[in-house]
Amino acid sequence: MSTSNRSAYHHRALRPALIAAARALLDEGGPEAVGLREAARRVGVSPTATYRHFRDKDALLAAVAAEGFREFGAALAAGQSAADPFAGMGAAYIDFALAKPGMFQLMFSPLLAAQAADPDLSAAADAAFALLRKRAEASAPGPFGGDIEATTLIAWSMVHGLSRLVLDGVLPREAAEGFKRAMLARPPGAGPATA
Amino acid sequence: MSTSNRSAYHHRALRPALIAAARALLDEGGPEAVGLREAARRVGVSPTATYRHFRDKDALLAAVAAEGFREFGAALAAGQSAADPFAGMGAAYIDFALAKPGMFQLMFSPLLAAQAADPDLSAAADAAFALLRKRAEASAPGPFGGDIEATTLIAWSMVHGLSRLVLDGVLPREAAEGFKRAMLARPPGAGPATA
DNA sequence: GGCATGATGTTATCGATGTCAACTTCGAAT
DNA sequence: ATTCGAAGTTGACATCGATAACATCATGCC
């Protein structure tokens, strides 16, 4: 009971508790719904207590996003072990976005680009992105031509674009299924389905 | 001087003026920087005057976004008249996003999906999206296979994903140039660059 | 032409948010 | 045991979106 016998004044694990609370808000109502005061309220602490652990609201969001990027990387790595590693990773990308829409939106929020100074966040993000590039490397020349750079760019753009279009409500969720099927129908190295 | 000899009490053109002000804010600081009060302040009117013309803040944003979608449609149509209409439209898509980042982000904000009840907004958005589909139709079977649905989905996802990755600061702006070049190198109907 | 009436703006206010400054409490090292 | 810094608290401020009640003007009707 190291967490429960706290002295009611000193929480002793406020930082992770705030991150968890912020994350719950994120899951419930998207990035807009995350608030410093509300997170503090849920943890049972005064609003300003948060400033002992985070410089400001954005720093809290950055911590949440860093967690997200770590899970994202794990999901991508897992998807890679499918029969078709290239399509498997793409499907994992899309599945992650649809399964954790709030987190995905936060992770790719322009707000987070401004938070690039946070080493924890950039490390987690870079690690996840490195997986994408590595996969493109291993699969190049892929279905889009020989250049590794181009393969990464195009494949990444495709899965990312589809994810966002669905999340933003432009395309229906079914579109994701059709997309994943199309990916599987065109294994890396295969030409266009001319027949 | 029909606009300047207003009676200082009745503005007589508040609605378009507020839209213009909101748009200026959007260009300056992105969607987050748009505020009802600030827009009213710039127009020289009291904050609550806005509620005579917009149900709430989201309605104002929807009006701005509708304008954006009309310009977006015009840009896409113009791009279509390039030597390669398919790649031309794709380039126009990306160029619009990079030229008007705040507007683009607003247009594809999940906030706007919730505002789908606005007929002006949905009409403008649908018109722009119809252009994409029509182009895919005219170019199918394109570089990705015969299905029109799939061609639309894949091409749209590609240009949209790249645009967002650049806007969100994940990819450098130069990536857009390389991307557009790759599009041109693979005209519709062409197979993969196996050589 | 004078006047009622509705559209358009205003003032006052509310609840909520992020943030700062000053104060309090507690745990641990000397 | 005392002290000292870390962790939380109270109180306050500026700002925001939104509502209610009031003021002003422009216009159509007689």
Side-chain angles (χ1 to χ4, degrees), chain B residues 6-85:
Chain B
R6 52 189 165 79
S7 60
Y9 197 101
H10 279 18
H11 186 287
R12 293 294 280 172
L14 227 197
R15 198 187 143 95
L18 282 172
I19 293 179
R23 172 150 200 185
L25 293 225
L26 186 63
D27 291 341
E28 291 168 24
E32 312 269 323
V34 184
L36 268 192
R37 298 182 97 105
E38 179 64 21
R41 202 172 294 135
R42 294 207 175 188
V43 173
V45 92
S46 94
T48 54
T50 59
Y51 290 92
R52 295 289 160 194
H53 300 275
F54 302 97
R55 189 156 38 78
D56 55 10
K57 182 188 178 183
D58 286 358
L60 170 57
L61 290 179
V64 175
E67 233 181 42
F69 272 116
R70 280 186 282 271
E71 297 171 13
F72 187 48
L76 291 182
Q80 212 170 8
S81 65
D84 179 341

Side-chain angles (χ1 to χ4, degrees), chain B:
Chain B
M1 312 170 176
S2 66
T3 62
S4 62
N5 70 357
R6 52 189 165 79
S7 60
Y9 197 101
H10 279 18
H11 186 287
R12 293 294 280 172
L14 227 197
R15 198 187 143 95
L18 282 172
I19 293 179
R23 172 150 200 185
L25 293 225
L26 186 63
D27 291 341
E28 291 168 24
E32 312 269 323
V34 184
L36 268 192
R37 298 182 97 105
E38 179 64 21
R41 202 172 294 135
R42 294 207 175 188
V43 173
V45 92
S46 94
T48 54
T50 59
Y51 290 92
R52 295 289 160 194
H53 300 275
F54 302 97
R55 189 156 38 78
D56 55 10
K57 182 188 178 183
D58 286 358
L60 170 57
L61 290 179
V64 175
E67 233 181 42
F69 272 116
R70 280 186 282 271
E71 297 171 13
F72 187 48
L76 291 182
Q80 212 170 8
S81 65
D84 179 341
F86 196 81
M89 195 176 216
Y93 197 109
I94 295 172
D95 287 343
F96 183 94
L98 297 196
K100 312 180 181 179
M103 180 61 91
F104 188 83
Q105 278 160 353
L106 174 66
M107 284 160 51
F108 290 97
S109 151
L111 189 157
L112 266 287
Q115 211 67 7
D118 184 328
D120 188 37
L121 174 61
S122 359
D126 288 350
F129 295 160
L131 289 178
L132 297 174
R133 174 170 301 271
K134 274 230 166 193
R135 176 39 55 197
E137 237 169 273
S139 300
F144 316 110
D147 191 349
I148 289 176
E149 214 59 44
T151 301
T152 307
L153 209 58
I154 293 180
W156 192 357
S157 294
M158 263 179 30
V159 291
H160 189 78
L162 180 98
S163 301
R164 289 219 86 138
L165 285 172
V166 173
L167 285 191
D168 294 346
V170 177
L171 295 178
R173 280 183 103 84
E174 295 83 63
E177 294 312 315
F179 192 93
K180 287 194 282 183
R181 232 177 298 119
M183 278 201 310
L184 273 174
R186 325 195 70 262
T194 46

